[in-house]
Amino acid sequence: MRVCVGTIVHHPEDARIMHRQIRSLLDAGHDITYVAPFTDCNVTPDPRIRAIDVPRAVGRRRRRALKAARQALKRGVEGADLLIVHDIELLFRLPRRRPATVWDVHEDTAAALEAKEYLPEVLRRTLPSLVRRIEARAERRLHLILAEEAYQERFAKSHPVVLNTTYVPQRPPAPSGGNRVVYVGHLSKARGAVELIELARRLLPHGIRTDLVGAADQEIRPLLREAQREGVLDWYGYVPNQHALRMAEGAIAGLSLLHDVPNYRQSMPTKVVEYMARGLPVVTTPLPAAASMIDRVGCGVVVPFGDVDAALAAVLGLRDDPGGASAMGKRGYEEALCHYHWPDHAGEFVGRLEEWAGKPVTSSREIGVLEAWHAI
């Protein structure tokens, strides 16, 4: 099977796209063409794929990427049996002649607009209804894969769910402990970056370092650079997922201080599962899925939204009770190994795509209201 995979929004090394889905397709013997922003992200493509470079769509800077996307996808689907797109933006740039097409729905796009502070307030109010219309039209014309069970509520029909799992080491990692905490993932206000910086300041007098591993929104970068210059924390920037998780091993805890915003309420933060897979106790805010996991498994501590004092107390409590922290890490690891190990789910994912390959879809007229979307 020949598969074209496309994104202009996500990093080419995105864990879901590259390290789970594409890797599984390659392991199954399929040929991959990958349309992604390699140059803009300073990424050398995997030699096993055919790479087509495009600009990256970031913030309001989307027109150049959108302009390049149609021609790139047109090249990418030549001779392909299947096209998988990972961005709602690419629904506007689907080639008219194309194979069976899959939209991988990563998030609740309409809900995510609330956290996009670069958007004018009027657009944050009006665009969600536009997004829902785009989703409904896409459902009639494409195959859909959902990243969360809760996303089913947005669609009229049932669609396969491919959860954001991870690769769980077959042997338990070293017990948590040491003198540092870690955060792995993108850094933004909504993801708790300001609270992470303040927590790092308060942990420093206790001899505990804070490692932040991930790219950051433009507005957050100056705060991180200043904190790093002051010696408050270590910010490593973007690190490929498999390396970032190895860096996390052995920390006192993995941090997930996400805010209570609509896009996060329906989903399990992937970082929570990743910390569990690496044997780390989790310190998380009370988003429903994360809090439910912690309460059920007993693998961490739940702290109130925006409460740095509570996060500080949680970390110090874990440091001062290494036996209890180690037991939390062990329980989390065992849960992740039993239920969230990606290779256990990869075969079903690949089989579904093989089933869809070659099936015709409705001819692609441009999904409407394109100019309104350009503002995002």
Side-chain angles (χ1 to χ4, degrees):
M1 181 171 69
R2 289 169 292 185
V3 183
C4 177
V5 179
T7 180
I8 57 174
V9 172
H10 298 280
H11 194 286
E13 293 280 350
D14 180 87
R16 178 178 176 88
I17 300 173
M18 181 67 213
H19 294 289
R20 291 196 288 273
Q21 296 187 6
I22 290 180
R23 177 174 165 181
S24 296
L25 288 165
L26 290 169
D27 289 346
H30 298 302
D31 295 328
I32 303 297
T33 296
Y34 191 13
V35 176
F38 297 101
T39 298
D40 282 359
C41 295
N42 195 28
V43 169
T44 300
D46 188 305
R48 296 174 295 172
I49 65 175
R50 175 195 176 207
I52 299 178
D53 194 25
V54 288
R56 191 177 191 186
V58 179
R60 293 190 181 185
R61 301 192 300 276
R62 278 169 148 71
R63 288 185 179 275
R64 181 166 163 261
L66 280 166
K67 185 176 180 180
R70 185 191 297 279
Q71 194 60 34
L73 289 177
K74 185 177 179 181
R75 289 173 54 202
V77 300
E78 291 175 358
D81 302 298
L82 194 73
L83 169 63
I84 309 172
V85 295
H86 291 269
D87 319 325
I88 194 171
E89 291 88 340
L90 290 182
L91 301 183
F92 303 127
R93 289 297 184 255
L94 297 177
R96 294 184 181 278
R97 294 180 178 274
R98 66 177 195 272
T101 301
V102 180
W103 176 30
D104 185 3
V105 183
H106 285 223
E107 65 178 358
D108 185 341
T109 308
L113 292 169
E114 181 178 303
K116 297 184 184 295
E117 296 189 0
Y118 60 82
L119 285 176
E121 179 65 26
V122 64
L123 287 178
R124 277 185 273 172
R125 289 197 311 268
T126 58
L127 282 174
S129 61
L130 168 64
V131 168
R132 296 301 185 219
R133 295 203 306 272
I134 293 168
E135 290 178 340
R137 185 155 183 167
E139 183 179 31
R140 295 193 297 269
R141 294 166 176 266
L142 310 174
H143 302 293
L144 268 58
I145 288 174
L146 312 181
E148 292 283 347
E149 289 282 356
Y151 295 170
Q152 299 275 17
E153 300 172 4
R154 290 153 46 197
F155 297 98
K157 298 183 290 184
S158 179
H159 301 283
V161 176
V162 177
L163 296 174
N164 281 321
T165 55
T166 187
Y167 290 92
V168 184
Q170 291 303 300
R171 294 182 179 180
S176 62
N179 62 346
R180 66 188 179 96
V181 292
V182 66
Y183 171 92
V184 175
H186 192 82
L187 289 148
S188 68
K189 281 188 177 180
R191 293 173 184 265
V194 174
E195 289 84 356
L196 288 167
I197 294 170
E198 179 59 24
L199 177 61
R201 291 185 189 280
R202 298 194 194 182
L203 285 171
L204 201 58
H206 297 276
I208 299 174
R209 299 287 307 176
T210 301
D211 292 344
L212 306 182
V213 187
D217 281 359
Q218 186 172 357
E219 63 182 348
I220 294 298
R221 290 172 207 158
L223 302 178
L224 291 168
R225 293 189 188 106
E226 180 61 26
Q228 184 151 270
R229 279 195 296 268
E230 294 174 4
V232 170
L233 52 79
D234 290 309
W235 174 41
Y236 293 92
Y238 181 84
V239 177
N241 186 255
Q242 69 273 29
H243 302 308
L245 295 180
R246 282 200 292 270
M247 292 169 63
E249 291 182 6
I252 297 170
L255 305 174
S256 179
L257 304 184
L258 278 62
H259 291 186
D260 184 19
V261 299
N263 191 34
Y264 301 152
R265 289 179 201 141
Q266 291 186 312
S267 60
M268 168 66 74
T270 307
K271 58 179 61 50
V272 169
V273 174
E274 291 173 336
Y275 297 151
M276 292 166 57
R278 299 294 165 152
L280 300 182
V282 180
V283 175
T284 178
T285 47
L287 292 166
S292 176
M293 176 74 81
I294 299 305
D295 291 343
R296 179 174 61 82
V297 178
C299 57
V301 182
V302 179
V303 299
F305 294 108
D307 192 336
V308 178
D309 288 336
L312 174 64
V315 172
L316 295 179
L318 292 168
R319 184 207 49 188
D320 295 340
D321 182 14
S326 179
M328 286 183 181
K330 185 174 184 292
R331 288 192 290 267
Y333 167 78
E334 291 172 349
E335 176 74 10
L337 184 62
C338 287
H339 299 290
Y340 295 96
H341 186 38
W342 168 249
D344 295 341
H345 306 274
E348 182 179 354
F349 164 73
V350 172
R352 175 73 67 169
L353 297 186
E354 291 171 342
E355 176 187 336
W356 283 341
K359 287 189 177 180
V361 293
T362 307
S363 67
S364 151
R365 287 188 296 139
E366 196 78 1
I367 295 178
V369 290
L370 176 59
E371 289 304 319
W373 185 259
H374 279 169
I376 299 178

